[in-house]
Amino acid sequence: MIQPILLTVPGLLGSSDDHWQTRWERERRDTHRIDLGDWDNPNRTVWMSRIDQAVAAARGPIVLVAHSLGCQAVTWWANASGPSGASSVLGALLVAPPATERAALDPRIARFGNDPRRALPFVSLLIASEDDPYATIEESQALARKWGSGLVDIGRAGHINARSGLGSWPQGQAAAELLRDARTGNVRTLARQAQAVLLDGEFDATRAIPSGLGRASSRDRTPVRH
């Protein structure tokens, strides 16, 4: 049986050497980065095309592991590809997607605005932080609802990037592993399972929330570098 591979999809500016995505790529033989091209000047069409090429070139089943604006790139690609084009994707881990329609964000992020409202053609988990400068919990909840994703609130973890001090983020790896066998899984059950593995970490008040039932938060945040 062919083992699934993990394909990482970084966001704006790419992922630094200390980012958990980069660490996974170094430490795991089954994890590879999709090169989206110009990390500093993202083009939605180009990024979608690069994902399409990488998925087509992969041999065997895939789990997509996206961070920040890479999540929007995945959802736009999946929206265009549909179930047939994404048939090799078992699931997606969508970590800290930004609220692209918020006017105060970086204009390069705003280019990806008006996020697709169609549910993804594969199961997905959206991992959100309560003090993410790019999305409130309400905004993450709305994205999860649009995409049919299970939402997992991991407490205060910033933008869930290198600044968050996650190291290799073994809890995140465990959540990604859940998606290897999740093609026909129930997204609410999957979210509860992800909550269980993500509880074992440095975050506070970690809990999983079925899509559309997130915890309210009205705090404004100042954008920070990815």
Side-chain angles (χ1 to χ4, degrees):
M1 178 179 178
I2 300 176
Q3 292 298 312
I5 62 170
L6 306 185
L7 293 181
T8 62
V9 188
L12 180 65
L13 305 180
S15 294
S16 67
D17 288 345
D18 291 333
H19 196 288
W20 54 267
Q21 282 183 318
T22 307
R23 288 174 177 263
W24 292 14
E25 293 155 14
R26 286 199 303 261
E27 298 168 6
R28 298 177 60 115
R29 297 180 61 183
D30 62 352
T31 304
H32 311 281
R33 176 173 299 191
I34 299 179
D35 184 356
L36 300 181
D38 192 343
W39 298 107
D40 297 347
N41 187 32
N43 179 290
R44 191 175 77 189
T45 301
V46 172
W47 280 24
M48 289 168 60
S49 177
R50 292 295 182 91
I51 293 173
D52 194 61
Q53 293 169 17
V55 170
R59 297 182 178 180
I62 298 163
V63 172
L64 294 170
V65 180
H67 178 255
S68 195
L69 194 59
C71 299
Q72 269 80 7
V74 165
T75 58
W76 277 110
W77 166 77
N79 185 68
S81 298
S84 60
S87 60
S88 62
V89 177
L90 300 178
L93 192 68
L94 306 173
V95 181
T100 56
E101 298 173 26
R102 198 195 304 174
L105 290 179
D106 189 310
R108 294 172 295 181
I109 295 176
R111 296 174 191 170
F112 284 67
N114 300 315
D115 299 302
R117 294 182 178 274
R118 183 183 302 174
L120 294 172
F122 39 75
V123 296
S124 59
L125 290 171
L126 194 158
I127 313 301
S129 165
E130 294 178 3
D131 60 347
D132 188 340
Y134 289 94
T136 64
I137 285 296
E138 297 98 329
E139 289 167 330
S140 296
Q141 174 187 339
L143 289 175
R145 186 184 303 115
K146 288 179 183 180
W147 300 337
S149 304
L151 178 64
V152 183
D153 174 359
I154 63 171
R156 298 175 63 84
H159 194 43
I160 318 181
N161 57 4
R163 286 188 175 189
S164 302
L166 302 174
S168 296
W169 198 24
Q171 299 86 3
Q173 293 186 53
E177 292 293 335
L178 291 173
L179 292 164
R180 288 181 182 268
D181 301 313
R183 186 190 292 273
T184 58
N186 179 283
V187 71
R188 290 172 182 260
T189 300
L190 193 63
R192 288 194 295 268
Q193 292 172 333
Q195 176 228 345
V197 299
L198 287 163
L199 265 171
D200 183 20
E202 299 297 324
F203 314 111
D204 66 342
T206 306
R207 67 175 186 172
I209 313 167
S211 177
L213 301 176
R215 181 180 345 184
S217 174
S218 59
R219 289 168 294 182
D220 292 328
R221 281 111 184 183
T222 302
V224 296
R225 181 181 175 86
H226 289 229

